[in-house]
Amino acid sequence: MLTIIKNAEVYSPEYLGKKDLIIGAEKILYITDSITTHPQLNVKILDLEGDYLVPGFIDSHVHIIGGGGEGGYKTRTPEITLSSIVKAGITSLVGILGTDNATRTMSNLIAKAKALKDEGISCYTYTGSYHLPLKTLTNRIIDDIVFIEEIIGVGEVAISDHRGSQPTLEELIRITADARVGGILSKKAGIVNVHVGKGKKLIQPLLDVINNSDLPITQFLPTHMNKDEESIKACKEFINLGGRIDFTTSSSNNLDENDISKPSKALKVLMDEGVNLENISFSSDGQGSMPHFDEKGNYLGLTVANVNTLYQEVKDSILVEQIPMEIALKVVTSNPATFLKLETKGRIKEGYDADLVILDKNSLNIKSVIAKGKLMKKDGKIITRGTFE
Ligand code: ZN
């Protein structure tokens, strides 16, 4: 059945003004100023009465089968549920493995991605995890990307982190080259999502790859780059060279609004410095483990990172940092769609997937979510739940 969305204030993410849309067969079919329906036409009408309509959010870094485990077996975090994703306005995500590639496997990751797709949203994965040599599904990066529908790149490979395998320049060049070729052969992104730890070299290993090979800088998407003044400076340099970077939203929970490691603050700092914001995305690191310490650094316990921090940081960018809405929205819509080469995602445009979020015009809170044309959340209530929820 067709659905007509009426009186929507559309951010595509660019501002389009007040529009009516027809959606059907999982797609945005038609966008115009006003649509009049005929009584004999069997269509569903959704009148937004001036609320904002924005593209469904894309989260490029989520531990969909759980992560963690750095404090022993009982600290392995649980897998994600459909409702927590939908509640956060996320309609597309990339599932990843992390530190643990012993008790967590690629086959399990792919199965979970397929389950989430069956439940109504779009899900992709990377192949590999923190460590080299990469544990892939087919024993070859190129084959994984070319033949496994869900796999769109490599990640999260750890650099500058004591938990990573301290990859050599040659190793990094090889996996990046393979990811690129896999991407070229399958028309996928073929990017390498790089976990950048707190180690002293930061993203220098990536610059070494660029300087010592023919690989383009856009082959990388380094994440967790919102750490401190030094990492934000490194972001600026990396972007000015044409690179793209990603900020992690969950690590900034409870941070003071002036802390530069808060993604909304870091985005504002880079905007003020004239950095190209089209080269920045946010991701949640959702379902990863978050260790907590007291002021003396004593371990207090673990919680699970929440995907709802993704939009929370976008909202803070708009309401606290006063970044224009159409710019702030890009970091979770059109920018990641470009980085991940998801050609029908991240925009409100005819022919694109009907992945949509409705925001309350006053509070900017998420009211309703549509994934592939299907209403998943309506007026604040989840209406489509996962199989076992
Ligand atoms: Zn990571």
Side-chain angles (χ1 to χ4, degrees):
M1 204 201 339
L2 295 179
T3 300
I4 297 180
I5 300 177
K6 290 194 72 67
N7 301 309
E9 199 80 21
V10 178
Y11 279 89
S12 72
E14 289 83 12
Y15 183 63
L16 298 186
K18 202 164 221 177
K19 298 284 174 191
D20 286 1
L21 292 84
I22 300 178
I23 61 173
E26 302 185 3
K27 297 280 178 191
I28 298 165
L29 301 174
Y30 188 52
I31 306 173
T32 189
D33 289 341
S34 178
I35 297 168
T36 327
T37 53
H38 192 278
Q40 280 181 331
L41 262 183
N42 186 20
V43 290
K44 201 158 87 188
I45 308 272
L46 200 62
D47 193 337
L48 301 198
E49 295 167 353
D51 276 336
Y52 296 127
L53 185 70
V54 305
F57 307 143
I58 300 170
D59 191 337
S60 67
H61 196 99
V62 183
H63 297 277
I64 57 173
I65 57 170
E70 286 104 328
Y73 300 111
K74 71 174 181 184
T75 65
R76 297 167 76 252
T77 62
E79 68 176 50
I80 202 161
T81 56
L82 178 72
S83 63
S84 58
I85 299 167
V86 168
K87 221 183 274 178
I90 296 162
T91 53
S92 303
L93 73 172
V94 184
I96 51 161
L97 297 176
T99 324
D100 178 6
N101 61 9
T103 77
R104 312 277 189 188
T105 63
M106 276 309 295
S107 49
N108 198 202
L109 187 73
I110 302 288
K112 177 68 180 179
K114 287 185 187 292
L116 289 171
K117 285 161 72 179
D118 282 350
E119 289 177 340
I121 57 168
S122 302
C123 192
Y124 312 86
T125 76
Y126 299 128
T127 185
S129 64
Y130 267 34
H131 306 110
L132 302 183
L134 286 185
K135 256 169 120 173
T136 61
L137 197 67
T138 64
N139 287 325
R140 205 165 164 255
I141 292 171
I142 296 175
D143 291 354
D144 268 25
I145 297 173
V146 171
F147 295 114
I148 312 297
E149 193 187 331
E150 289 78 12
I151 298 178
I152 57 169
V154 166
E156 59 172 318
V157 172
I159 60 167
S160 303
D161 195 302
H162 64 98
R163 294 165 296 173
S165 48
Q166 322 304 316
T168 63
L169 174 62
E170 283 66 34
E171 282 175 319
L172 274 179
I173 289 177
R174 175 57 59 86
I175 60 162
T176 310
D178 283 358
R180 179 173 173 78
V181 173
I184 288 170
L185 293 175
S186 57
K187 232 177 149 233
K188 293 178 181 173
I191 56 163
V192 182
N193 188 219
V194 182
H195 162 105
V196 184
K198 290 182 174 157
K200 46 190 173 293
K201 285 194 181 159
L202 211 62
I203 43 172
Q204 189 55 45
L206 306 187
L207 295 170
D208 292 345
V209 169
I210 303 312
N211 294 330
N212 290 284
S213 72
D214 297 317
L215 296 162
I217 196 167
T218 48
Q219 215 63 47
F220 293 116
L221 182 58
T223 188
H224 317 317
M225 286 304 290
N226 48 313
K227 298 180 197 301
D228 48 29
E229 298 273 354
E230 197 196 335
S231 74
I232 299 302
K233 198 174 144 239
C235 287
K236 188 181 168 185
E237 288 163 12
F238 200 71
I239 293 172
N240 286 344
L241 289 170
R244 295 146 172 181
I245 57 103
D246 183 70
F247 291 154
T248 301
T249 55
S250 61
S251 57
S252 64
N253 230 351
N254 302 323
L255 278 184
D256 181 78
E257 64 183 54
N258 291 315
D259 195 318
I260 200 163
S261 63
K262 192 170 160 54
S264 47
K265 181 75 196 170
L267 190 67
K268 179 68 163 59
V269 167
L270 290 176
M271 186 175 91
D272 290 346
E273 293 194 21
V275 170
N276 184 4
L277 301 191
E278 306 255 323
N279 287 19
I280 299 174
S281 61
F282 285 3
S283 67
S284 70
D285 205 3
Q287 225 61 20
S289 66
M290 305 227 307
H292 296 278
F293 303 93
D294 66 14
E295 303 91 70
K296 288 180 185 150
N298 296 314
Y299 173 77
L300 293 175
L302 279 174
T303 51
V304 180
N306 200 321
V307 285
N308 70 12
T309 55
L310 186 77
Y311 176 63
Q312 188 56 50
E313 280 301 321
V314 173
K315 213 168 85 174
D316 283 356
S317 303
I318 301 165
L319 297 177
V320 180
E321 300 300 339
Q322 305 285 310
I323 296 172
M325 188 153 149
E326 53 201 285
I327 294 175
L329 283 170
K330 283 186 180 185
V331 301
V332 293
T333 59
S334 55
N335 293 357
T338 302
F339 303 171
L340 304 173
K341 218 173 182 180
L342 305 178
E343 286 172 347
T344 58
K345 301 283 188 194
R347 290 185 175 280
I348 296 180
K349 204 171 170 182
E350 286 170 12
Y352 275 53
D353 292 352
D355 293 339
L356 303 160
V357 171
I358 295 153
L359 302 174
D360 182 275
K361 62 187 158 205
N362 301 311
S363 65
L364 292 191
N365 287 339
I366 298 170
K367 268 174 102 168
S368 307
V369 178
I370 296 168
K372 289 197 257 182
K374 193 177 172 206
L375 204 52
M376 310 292 277
K377 175 177 175 173
K378 188 168 190 281
D379 299 324
K381 280 206 184 76
I382 295 289
I383 54 171
T384 307
R385 291 194 177 271
T387 316
F388 298 106
E389 294 190 85

